Amino acid sequence: MLFEGNRFSSPFVTVPTGFCSWLCVVHRGTTTSETRPRCDWSFPYCQYTKEEPRCGKPILNNREPRRGKPILNNREPRRGKQEIMKWNGWGYSDSKFLFNKKGQAEFTGKRYRLSGMTLPSLQDWFENTFGASVKHKSPATVILNASVVPPPRLNEAFVENLKATGIPFSNEAEDRVFRAHGHCLHEIFALREGKKFERVPDMVVWPNCHNDVVKIVELACKHNVCLIPYGGGTSVTSALECPPEETRCIVSLDTSQMNRILWLDENNLVAHVEAGIIGQDLERLLNESGYCTGHEPDSMEFSSLGGWVATRASGMKKNVYGNIEDLVIHIKAVTPRGVIEKSCQGPRTSTGPDIHHFILGSEGTLGVVTEVTMKIRPIPEYQKYGSVVFPKFEAGVACLREVAKQRCAPASIRLMDNKQFHFGHALKPQVSSIFTHFVEGLKKFYITKLKGFDPHQLVVATLLFEGDRERVLQHEKQVYDIAATFGGLAAGEDNGQRGYLLTFVIAYLRDLGMDYCVVAESFETSVPWDRVLDLCQNVKERIIRECKERGVQFQPLTSCRVTQTYDSGACIYFYFAFNYRGLADPVHTYEQVEHAAREEILANGGSLSHHHGVGKLRKEWMKDSISNVGVGMLKSVKEYVDPENIFGNRNLL
Amino acid sequence: MTTCEDPSGYKQEDEFMDILEERRRSSDLGHALRTFTPSPYRGAPPLSAGALNRMVLESQYLRYVTKEVAMETGESVDLVREEASGILDEMSQNLQLGFIRLLGFTLSKVFKRLFSHININQEGLNRLQQAIQESPVILMPNHRSYVDFLVLSYILFTYDLPIPVIAAGIPLMDMKMVGEILRRSGAFFIRRAIGSDKLYWAVLSEYVKTIVRTGYAPVEFYVEGLRSRTLKSLTPKLGMMHMVLEPFFKGEVYDITLVPISISYDRVLEESLLAHELLGVPKPRETTMGLLKARRVLEDDYGSMHVYFGMPLSVRQLTKGRVDRCEYNLLPRDLPQRPSVETQECVSWLAQQVIRVQEQSSILSPWSLMACLVLQDHQNTDPGEEQEKGLSWELLTQRTLWLKGLAISFGARLDWPEQPPENQVMASSMALHSSVIRCHQGRVTLLEEEGPVGAGPFTTEEGVVRRARAVLMVAAYRNQALHVFIRPAMVALAIHTTRSSQREDIYSYFRFLLDLFSNDFIFITGRSSQDFEEACSLLRKCGAVQTSQQEVTSPEEGQRTTSFLRALLQPFIDAYQVVFSHLCLEDVEVFTERQMVPAVRSLATKLLLSGELTSCDALSSDTQKNVLSALLRLGAVTRLRTAEHSEFRANKPAISRLADTLAGRLPVQTAPNPRL
């Protein structure tokens, strides 16, 4: 859960230099052109597109199945991004943090703005925060050992029938393992340790379109096979874990080949898209036509449209564009009972309970989302980052509350606590110019000495404005004026951008931590405004005390930020990490602490989840969260739609 | 912080030290002017009393209630706000360090005069200091004397710990000067009968909650609500308890720490007053003149005082699984919300827990043990016989030493020095109480109050009251020791009354006793079976019972212990029976408490004179009121809501059933009380 449903790609975004207080460090790392339409996704994803097979182009893969088993695939599968991604960590294989021989941290690869840079302060921060040392390595297993993967239990009749349809499939260990997990700490930890898997999917199928899915679901029903839909694989709720008690053949239904924009309607500003499309591809393709969805969960590099629908995802810029439930106009999904969809695209209807809401958040328990019609918007003309420093977290929260009250939240507004502020600073790349160095020093002096902000108390709010230039500047002034009444000082675009950078690379950083005996996770909640402060404080305190009680030898890192504002409350996001040296079973300890933290959240009036979902990780609290009757309603829907439990991932209920 | 098992956390090595020793050696002025820089909870920023009051007045909660009250009464909101502000002015403390210093100086002088030692457990103070850093702290002392009131502030001042704000009854405020001095020493004042005054409740609870929430200062209050006239623990009052705990239940603070504190006196300053009040002589109004007149008490010796700071109790840990804090999720936290039944039960349970810890960590003087024996002897003597009055000193010594052994084996904490010899310890302990007991020619006798000089001969009824006064004074010291023996005593009584050896029968009678007497003795709800097992095991340890899977029997050689224990309970049983028989009289139908007390008293007097009753406890208004509360609780008396004074109606069949059950004439009815 180290990424928020919304992984924003801020590091690539070029920034106009319009706003510049004397405090602000002008960011010179990127070029700015205010005349051409802004294309946010141009830089990183161009490279990615070049090497990435697109739909329609057959890719060649000569890898033979390794076991003595007969070759089951009738066509070489197209594995989506699997080829260029880590099998036991976050993101692209070529991008990772490491401490180089000089003891300095660097980020490898060429994909991100931080790529190829050294981060001189990261090691100090890392060692001081966790009591860790670069000498204590805990390296991961390098390659997947096929012997830890249980042999597939195949349903022969299903396989035979599937072959006849011509839909590609595979039962190779690597393909199956890749789809057997999401990115929970325990899942990644087990992969790194090379632990034996209890249960993984027995085979993977790659439908190419809606009709393929209909065929697969029909066959699954006919042969009583368990289907688990797989989109981007970025779940952090154990939603992709195969239930160990499942005895039927488990088929992972990989939607990655269903990745086309089927049509685009400029009159009504909607696009009809196949649900397997990955966030960044959707955004890039729409950008080519001058549009965007504006839905930018932090995971958008890897997560899929279908996944967003199935988990009720939330995007960083929801203040302008809305969350996924506000964005979808029409959903088509295949269930064991047949296809469910609405008959029109009316912008709002009063036709009983909205059936979309059975599918939104159903977490793959009812069927597969195949096609979605969603709103699109013209690419905004102008975009600008900003940041505000507050003397204390309390002041920052009060400011965000006021901004929400006045309904003038920018596209994104987030408040990082002091720990995260320092964390963000540890990611500063090497400064080359003496001038920048000087300005930095001056800035620090101004804030801490002249304004009397305590460096161990101050917090920073990061802002992102979008729209036409005039409006953005006006909007910006409004927000900074509000901030000023709460003692906030404008702190420049650079700080703002770095804030978003942190969310973006955090999951890569977790892999670095795990190389040095540090386990880390994040979790989120939503809570009414009046409980925000107490919830943050109590949850952090609970984590610290639970760690102590459970024998964690080092002070854990607990940090939080307010990531979304709503009229009546906020979304809060926690980071939690500790050095596990001296612990027999760090994952178990971690899970106990996380469990306690969730209980604390609930006791303080927080929700079970804002956007990560329930999966299997938080099932136990569903009854208390939505009442017995609520659970009964969901159960009866499941009972009607999928009486044989074909979609048997056992999430949610 | 530990939670249960031995909640008092008492260890033999707990060492007391005398804070007066230092005061006798060095300057009191120096002490009063010492640098005082306590570190408050989490380094909470200092808040002036004025700022605190403003926070309270401006709170959402008060605004809401103000509006509501304005709507209900038809007054303007401003007027109600002013009223609230007036209440707050009357209530609020105004803690000032200067006054603490002044008080420190005065108290040094007074305490040195009154007490030979003030012993405190240093270890407890260290724990307290630790706890204050971690979460808001609630100091919960027992209340036996007015002296309690400021002694904790004095100790905390001496040890550089934050001075608490103290909940006090409003009568104290009305004393000229004294009220103001107390206010500036951190006292805040609560009206006695708040009833349904919504605005008052709101101001008070917001005031208390704000103090807890902000970590302004430790809050000190008496969970018993009142000063105990009998020196027994009182049924906890839960209003204040709810107020201090709510910030935790609502998640406004991470945790709250309760620190039970046990204050024990060798001799209580107000002892003669206590007996008078119990016998119906009204309590003098608390006035400054009264205080000045009472200064002759300063001339007396009151022995030692022990202050034991108990193990801090984490509310978070104790309430785990007992309270679902989610119940507060659906209402704005600023609005008043009635706690659920579970929460109320849990709060009451917590209060009982605190009282139990207070009892367990209280320190018994040798005199308390002697008082038990003197009274038992007194009970057995026919008041008519003038000759051979009293108990011989040798016998008393011998019995006291036996009782000392028993008390220690039951886990009591005795203040019994190893030097000088036991005989002398007892003599000097008794000497403190020379106003009520005397050893003359080898016989120990109770002294009766002398009538006013020159007054004529008194009636026999007056004679009873005079005797009773002495008895009740001694009984108060016996009561200090009761918590040690009460559970085993109930088992002993159960064995005797049921005449059964079946564990089941004995246990059900034991539960009946717990239930009936739970206003007189504080038991922890839901712990009856543990209490029973523990009591049995104590009795087994001293050879007073033998137990098996099915049976509990009392062997011949344990008779001395069991008969002592039963005799300890006898006065209470007698008193209850007297009240029962009064309520079963034909002419008693609907009655008020005011009518009942004198009526019972005259019945008891009659019975005492006729020799049918031997113990004077039935004369005590406190006991009588407890019986009434117990009957109400058990449904044998119903309250009729009328006018100002509650009226009651007795359910005679139910009462006589209780009387018969208590006397063993009827088996215990097996409708189990869900509370136990």
Side-chain angles (χ1 to χ4, degrees):
Chain A
M1 280 175 262
L2 272 170
F3 47 89
E4 236 146 300
N6 39 45
R7 174 165 310 283
F8 180 61
S9 66
S10 62
F12 329 118
V13 178
T14 56
V15 179
T17 53
F19 171 72
C20 176
S21 74
W22 71 274
L23 261 181
C24 140
V25 183
V26 181
H27 189 83
R28 291 166 200 285
T30 49
T31 51
T32 302
S33 158
E34 290 177 30
T35 47
R36 74 171 161 86
R38 298 283 322 289
C39 171
D40 291 349
W41 306 102
S42 54
F43 174 48
Y45 302 114
C46 293
Q47 297 180 348
Y48 156 63
T49 337
K50 274 173 210 152
E51 55 191 68
E52 185 59 17
R54 287 259 276 108
C55 131
K57 281 183 231 159
I59 52 155
L60 292 176
N61 186 332
N62 297 325
R63 195 191 304 138
E64 289 292 309
R66 291 183 196 98
R67 292 156 188 251
K69 283 257 171 191
I71 303 172
L72 280 174
N73 0 4
N74 56 354
R75 216 168 81 192
E76 194 55 44
R78 296 170 290 185
R79 290 187 171 81
K81 293 196 177 77
Q82 188 180 343
E83 302 297 327
I84 54 166
M85 293 191 37
K86 295 195 191 83
W87 70 276
N88 63 355
W90 177 259
Y92 299 109
S93 310
D94 57 14
S95 301
K96 63 182 292 191
F97 283 97
L98 50 82
F99 291 117
N100 62 23
K101 289 197 181 94
K102 281 188 251 164
Q104 282 193 323
E106 65 177 71
F107 193 43
T108 63
K110 291 179 184 155
R111 292 173 189 275
Y112 302 98
R113 216 182 76 198
L114 219 50
S115 297
M117 294 199 181
T118 46
L119 312 162
S121 19
L122 187 59
Q123 189 191 333
D124 271 356
W125 177 86
F126 182 74
E127 296 193 332
N128 292 337
T129 305
F130 297 108
S133 159
V134 294
K135 291 191 202 96
H136 296 116
K137 284 209 75 170
S138 50
T141 318
V142 184
I143 47 164
L144 176 65
N145 179 355
S147 69
V148 301
V149 185
R153 308 177 194 179
L154 295 174
N155 182 319
E156 297 298 338
F158 174 78
V159 173
E160 282 312 308
N161 278 299
L162 189 64
K163 268 184 192 162
T165 64
I167 300 169
F169 62 90
S170 156
N171 69 341
E172 274 185 47
E174 226 168 275
D175 294 334
R176 290 160 54 218
V177 165
F178 193 81
R179 286 158 188 82
H181 65 86
H183 282 270
C184 287
L185 177 77
H186 68 269
E187 293 171 319
I188 300 299
F189 200 90
L191 288 171
R192 291 172 55 97
E193 300 272 289
K195 284 223 179 86
K196 197 165 168 57
F197 292 92
E198 202 173 342
R199 192 80 172 91
V200 301
D202 300 300
M203 60 190 286
V204 183
V205 293
W206 283 271
N208 197 41
C209 59
H210 171 78
N211 285 338
D212 282 357
V213 175
V214 173
K215 285 179 208 160
I216 293 167
V217 173
E218 271 170 9
L219 288 179
C221 292
K222 187 173 158 198
H223 299 291
N224 195 20
V225 160
C226 172
L227 291 178
I228 296 185
Y230 181 89
T234 57
S235 153
V236 284
T237 57
S238 301
L240 290 167
E241 257 175 27
C242 296
E245 66 272 29
E246 181 61 69
T247 53
R248 299 173 294 181
C249 168
I250 299 180
V251 177
S252 176
L253 193 155
D254 185 322
T255 58
S256 63
Q257 305 310 304
M258 303 177 8
N259 59 1
R260 287 154 292 214
I261 295 180
L262 297 175
W263 47 255
L264 203 144
D265 176 351
E266 294 185 90
N267 288 323
N268 296 310
L269 285 181
V270 292
H272 191 65
V273 190
E274 286 185 311
I277 196 166
I278 299 301
Q280 58 169 320
D281 298 339
L282 174 61
E283 219 54 23
R284 179 175 39 73
L285 291 172
L286 285 175
N287 282 181
E288 285 169 11
S289 318
Y291 292 101
C292 66
T293 62
H295 184 69
E296 296 180 7
D298 281 10
S299 61
M300 72 176 297
E301 278 181 285
F302 307 110
S303 60
S304 69
L305 172 55
W308 300 339
V309 170
T311 56
R312 293 180 65 90
S314 169
M316 179 187 98
K317 300 197 288 197
K318 73 96 193 149
N319 292 336
V320 175
Y321 300 95
N323 287 318
I324 194 70
E325 67 274 20
D326 311 310
L327 285 165
V328 295
I329 294 294
H330 184 267
I331 299 172
K332 196 196 263 186
V334 182
T335 75
R337 276 279 168 188
V339 176
I340 177 172
E341 63 179 324
K342 290 188 187 175
S343 68
C344 72
Q345 297 189 27
R348 181 185 189 272
T349 57
S350 171
T351 46
D354 191 341
I355 55 157
H356 282 170
H357 286 284
F358 287 119
I359 303 165
L360 284 157
S362 60
E363 303 194 358
T365 57
L366 299 177
V368 193
V369 179
T370 54
E371 290 170 17
V372 175
T373 310
M374 70 191 296
K375 297 181 197 171
I376 55 171
R377 299 289 303 165
I379 296 176
E381 165 193 319
Y382 189 70
Q383 208 180 29
K384 192 172 175 190
Y385 285 98
S387 65
V388 182
V389 180
F390 293 97
K392 278 182 138 185
F393 192 64
E394 286 81 347
V397 171
C399 173
L400 262 63
R401 204 276 161 273
E402 184 59 30
V403 166
K405 204 185 259 173
Q406 297 192 19
R407 292 205 172 160
C408 64
S412 169
I413 178 166
R414 290 179 173 176
L415 179 73
M416 304 194 290
D417 72 356
N418 184 263
K419 293 238 177 75
Q420 237 168 91
F421 172 73
H422 287 291
F423 190 2
H425 265 257
L427 292 175
K428 268 193 177 172
Q430 195 136 35
V431 203
S432 43
S433 98
I434 294 177
F435 176 72
T436 323
H437 211 85
F438 173 72
V439 174
E440 284 290 297
L442 212 57
K443 208 163 80 177
K444 198 169 169 189
F445 176 78
Y446 176 75
I447 289 183
T448 59
K449 293 292 178 320
L450 292 184
K451 285 290 172 182
F453 284 23
D454 178 353
H456 300 292
Q457 296 260 318
L458 64 83
V459 298
V460 61
T462 58
L463 310 164
L464 174 64
F465 298 91
E466 254 187 32
D468 59 63
R469 204 186 134 89
E470 274 311 288
R471 276 243 199 78
V472 163
L473 296 179
Q474 218 182 328
H475 193 177
E476 190 182 30
K477 184 175 177 319
Q478 186 187 6
V479 172
Y480 281 104
D481 284 350
I482 294 174
T485 62
F486 293 93
L489 290 176
E493 289 175 74
D494 188 48
N495 270 323
Q497 231 178 332
R498 202 178 6 258
Y500 292 101
L501 171 87
L502 178 66
T503 30
F504 181 74
V505 295
I506 189 79
Y508 284 107
L509 279 165
R510 176 170 83 175
D511 288 342
L512 176 73
M514 285 165 86
D515 285 338
Y516 295 94
C517 305
V518 171
V519 285
E521 262 289 20
S522 61
F523 47 87
E524 40 78 53
T525 186
S526 55
V527 64
W529 279 114
D530 67 327
R531 294 168 195 258
V532 168
L533 286 175
D534 291 329
L535 183 135
C536 291
Q537 174 139 12
N538 290 341
V539 170
K540 286 184 195 176
E541 180 86 42
R542 179 79 182 259
I543 290 174
I544 291 169
R545 296 201 189 194
E546 292 281 341
C547 280
K548 205 169 164 190
E549 273 170 37
R550 297 179 195 290
V552 175
Q553 315 269 312
F554 303 87
Q555 179 84 358
L557 168 73
T558 60
S559 167
C560 70
R561 66 168 176 265
V562 181
T563 60
Q564 288 292 6
T565 63
Y566 292 86
D567 285 353
S568 69
C571 167
I572 299 172
Y573 205 83
F574 290 93
Y575 288 150
F576 154 43
F578 62 83
N579 181 343
Y580 65 78
R581 280 178 55 218
L583 288 183
D585 188 349
V587 170
H588 182 63
T589 306
Y590 162 76
E591 282 172 344
Q592 287 176 317
V593 177
E594 194 200 346
H595 189 273
R598 181 58 60 179
E599 282 191 332
E600 193 61 34
I601 286 176
L602 297 175
N604 281 272
S607 65
L608 193 51
S609 170
H610 171 261
H611 59 264
H612 280 173
V614 175
K616 288 180 272 287
L617 195 61
R618 287 185 271 275
K619 260 164 85 162
E620 63 179 291
W621 290 292
M622 270 301 267
K623 204 181 68 183
D624 291 338
S625 291
I626 63 170
S627 83
N628 278 327
V629 177
V631 170
M633 281 167 121
L634 296 185
K635 274 195 175 144
S636 64
V637 169
K638 167 81 177 171
E639 186 59 28
Y640 172 77
V641 172
D642 183 15
E644 300 301 320
N645 196 28
I646 296 302
F647 287 89
N649 60 17
R650 311 205 182 188
N651 291 336
L652 222 52
L653 294 175
Chain B
M1 281 177 239
T2 58
T3 43
C4 276
E5 295 334 305
D6 184 8
S8 60
Y10 181 75
K11 283 173 269 150
Q12 282 309 314
E13 57 269 31
D14 268 340
E15 283 206 1
F16 282 96
M17 58 174 273
D18 181 6
I19 58 167
L20 290 184
E21 202 180 303
E22 167 82 19
R23 293 276 52 73
R24 293 190 211 280
R25 276 192 276 110
S26 67
S27 143
D28 289 338
L29 195 61
H31 169 259
L33 295 178
R34 57 199 292 280
T35 44
F36 179 66
T37 48
S39 43
Y41 157 58
R42 284 274 162 107
L47 198 61
S48 75
L52 181 74
N53 287 4
R54 267 195 305 283
M55 268 175 92
V56 174
L57 278 180
E58 281 158 19
S59 67
Q60 282 290 329
Y61 178 61
L62 261 196
R63 266 189 236 171
Y64 176 85
V65 176
T66 308
K67 230 181 264 169
E68 223 178 41
V69 170
M71 289 256 282
E72 282 165 16
T73 58
E75 284 170 28
S76 77
V77 173
D78 285 340
L79 210 67
V80 180
R81 263 184 74 82
E82 243 167 71
E83 203 182 317
S85 167
I87 294 173
L88 190 60
D89 286 342
E90 172 196 278
M91 178 187 304
S92 62
Q93 51 78 32
N94 185 13
L95 184 58
Q96 288 175 356
L97 187 54
F99 271 81
I100 295 292
R101 293 188 188 284
L102 176 65
L103 204 75
F105 181 74
T106 323
L107 290 182
S108 293
K109 299 285 181 214
V110 173
F111 285 158
K112 277 191 282 187
R113 194 157 224 199
L114 289 176
F115 299 107
S116 47
H117 309 280
I118 296 183
N119 293 321
I120 58 170
N121 62 330
Q122 179 106 36
E123 186 50 37
L125 272 178
N126 295 343
R127 290 189 300 239
L128 175 63
Q129 179 161 29
Q130 181 71 27
I132 284 174
Q133 310 293 317
E134 281 171 7
S135 50
V137 164
I138 314 296
L139 303 174
M140 302 178 74
N142 54 358
H143 195 13
R144 301 291 174 262
S145 160
Y146 284 125
V147 178
D148 307 337
F149 196 76
L150 288 169
V151 75
L152 289 184
S153 303
Y154 180 77
I155 294 170
L156 296 188
F157 172 70
T158 306
Y159 284 89
D160 218 17
L161 291 167
I163 305 294
V165 296
I166 312 166
I170 222 138
L172 281 178
M173 186 190 81
D174 292 336
M175 295 164 77
K176 280 191 197 87
M177 298 254 304
V178 174
E180 198 51 34
I181 291 173
L182 293 180
R183 191 189 291 279
R184 293 188 186 204
S185 314
F188 64 97
F189 299 98
I190 306 176
R191 292 183 192 162
R192 274 278 177 253
I194 306 174
S196 55
D197 186 342
K198 207 165 167 179
L199 191 63
Y200 192 88
W201 270 115
V203 175
L204 174 62
S205 69
E206 186 60 26
Y207 186 67
V208 172
K209 285 187 281 185
T210 308
I211 292 172
V212 174
R213 222 181 286 154
T214 54
Y216 175 85
V219 176
E220 176 184 335
F221 76 97
Y222 302 110
V223 68
E224 296 164 297
L226 298 166
R227 193 161 47 87
S228 168
R229 268 63 166 167
T230 54
L231 305 193
K232 264 189 302 136
S233 300
L234 303 179
T235 311
K237 303 279 183 294
L238 302 178
M240 192 71 180
M241 197 71 183
H242 273 286
M243 288 176 210
V244 299
L245 294 180
E246 205 184 81
F248 167 71
F249 292 145
K250 288 191 170 177
E252 293 165 328
V253 294
Y254 183 77
D255 196 0
I256 288 175
T257 305
L258 307 181
V259 182
I261 298 169
S262 224
I263 306 177
S264 327
Y265 297 90
D266 278 357
R267 182 180 168 205
V268 178
L269 262 74
E270 335 32 12
E271 57 178 12
S272 63
L273 236 51
L274 297 181
H276 272 132
E277 285 174 41
L278 292 175
L279 289 171
V281 183
K283 170 185 169 186
R285 259 177 69 81
E286 281 135 339
T287 62
T288 310
M289 274 317 283
L291 186 77
L292 291 176
K293 277 184 198 149
R295 74 186 183 281
R296 82 180 160 80
V297 302
L298 294 185
E299 262 114 70
D300 258 353
D301 180 4
Y302 293 89
S304 314
M305 170 180 183
H306 283 84
V307 181
Y308 186 89
F309 290 86
M311 192 64 93
L313 306 172
S314 154
V315 173
R316 177 176 271 267
Q317 272 182 35
L318 284 170
T319 58
K320 202 170 167 187
R322 288 176 178 265
V323 168
D324 180 8
R325 288 188 290 155
C326 290
E327 77 180 72
Y328 294 94
N329 285 352
L330 291 180
L331 271 186
R333 291 194 297 178
D334 298 327
L335 298 195
Q337 181 177 354
R338 216 186 154 68
S340 68
V341 176
E342 291 80 48
T343 307
Q344 291 184 34
E345 275 172 6
C346 176
V347 167
S348 144
W349 174 84
L350 263 180
Q352 292 164 348
Q353 197 83 20
V354 167
I355 287 184
R356 183 74 180 267
V357 176
Q358 287 174 351
E359 286 182 342
Q360 284 172 334
S361 46
S362 67
I363 307 297
L364 295 186
S365 66
W367 163 241
S368 283
L369 299 181
M370 291 158 74
C372 296
L373 298 164
V374 168
L375 283 182
Q376 286 192 8
D377 178 71
H378 190 263
Q379 253 162 260
N380 299 334
T381 327
D382 189 341
E385 279 176 51
E386 279 303 316
Q387 294 307 307
E388 281 295 281
K389 209 174 167 189
L391 183 61
S392 84
W393 175 252
E394 282 76 38
L395 202 56
L396 181 61
T397 312
Q398 182 219 329
R399 287 184 184 171
T400 305
L401 292 181
W402 168 81
L403 186 54
K404 178 188 168 200
L406 187 69
I408 288 172
S409 84
F410 281 5
R413 302 178 178 196
L414 286 180
D415 176 31
W416 197 303
E418 284 178 19
Q419 293 290 329
E422 284 154 334
N423 210 325
Q424 270 180 44
V425 171
M426 283 172 58
S428 68
S429 189
M430 200 172 85
L432 282 179
H433 299 272
S434 56
S435 65
V436 70
I437 197 153
R438 182 178 54 184
C439 182
H440 184 63
Q441 293 175 344
R443 302 204 78 85
V444 177
T445 48
L446 292 184
L447 288 180
E448 285 168 24
E449 195 180 29
E450 287 162 31
V453 186
F458 45 80
T459 62
T460 44
E461 281 80 10
E462 275 170 357
V464 169
V465 170
R466 284 175 190 215
R467 246 196 323 278
R469 189 197 77 96
V471 170
L472 289 183
M473 259 170 81
V474 178
Y477 294 99
R478 169 204 64 192
N479 289 347
Q480 285 185 322
L482 277 182
H483 65 90
V484 175
F485 304 108
I486 187 70
R487 291 166 188 81
M490 285 183 166
V491 171
L493 181 65
I495 296 172
H496 183 80
T497 311
T498 56
R499 292 193 198 84
S500 163
S501 59
Q502 292 303 303
R503 184 180 269 263
E504 214 175 293
D505 298 340
I506 295 167
Y507 176 57
S508 65
Y509 188 80
F510 175 80
R511 272 178 54 148
F512 167 79
L513 289 178
L514 282 193
D515 203 13
L516 184 63
F517 287 111
S518 68
N519 289 78
D520 260 298
F521 310 103
I522 310 307
F523 302 109
I524 296 174
T525 307
R527 208 177 177 277
S528 62
S529 105
Q530 243 171 304
D531 280 342
F532 182 72
E533 293 307 324
E534 281 169 18
C536 286
S537 105
L538 289 178
L539 287 171
R540 200 171 45 228
K541 209 166 75 181
C542 65
V545 301
Q546 288 162 348
T547 56
S548 69
Q549 204 81 38
Q550 302 294 326
E551 297 198 341
V552 179
T553 50
S554 168
E556 200 55 42
E557 59 274 22
Q559 283 308 314
R560 183 176 187 186
T561 308
T562 48
S563 66
F564 163 79
L565 290 172
R566 275 187 282 116
L568 212 48
L569 269 179
Q570 200 55 48
F572 294 94
I573 291 170
D574 290 348
Y576 274 58
Q577 292 288 19
V578 170
V579 180
F580 290 164
S581 50
H582 162 72
L583 292 178
C584 288
L585 290 178
E586 258 169 47
D587 55 335
V588 179
E589 277 298 334
V590 172
F591 60 96
T592 63
E593 193 181 279
R594 280 199 181 170
Q595 291 165 340
M596 186 194 90
V597 170
V600 173
R601 199 172 278 140
S602 72
L603 175 63
T605 312
K606 224 184 292 167
L607 294 172
L608 276 168
L609 284 173
S610 69
E612 283 170 78
L613 181 68
T614 52
S615 58
C616 297
D617 287 70
L619 293 172
S620 152
S621 59
D622 188 82
T623 309
Q624 293 162 8
K625 288 172 192 170
N626 282 340
V627 184
L628 184 59
S629 306
L631 290 175
L632 262 173
R633 186 165 40 77
L634 297 171
V637 160
T638 42
R639 189 194 295 270
L640 310 170
R641 292 246 169 241
T642 50
E644 278 167 37
H645 298 291
S646 293
E647 292 191 331
F648 304 94
R649 183 195 298 278
N651 174 353
K652 291 185 176 144
I655 294 175
S656 69
R657 217 166 29 241
L658 280 175
D660 288 345
T661 314
L662 182 58
R665 292 189 291 267
L666 268 181
V668 178
Q669 288 195 321
T670 47
N673 186 332
R675 277 185 72 240
L676 301 168

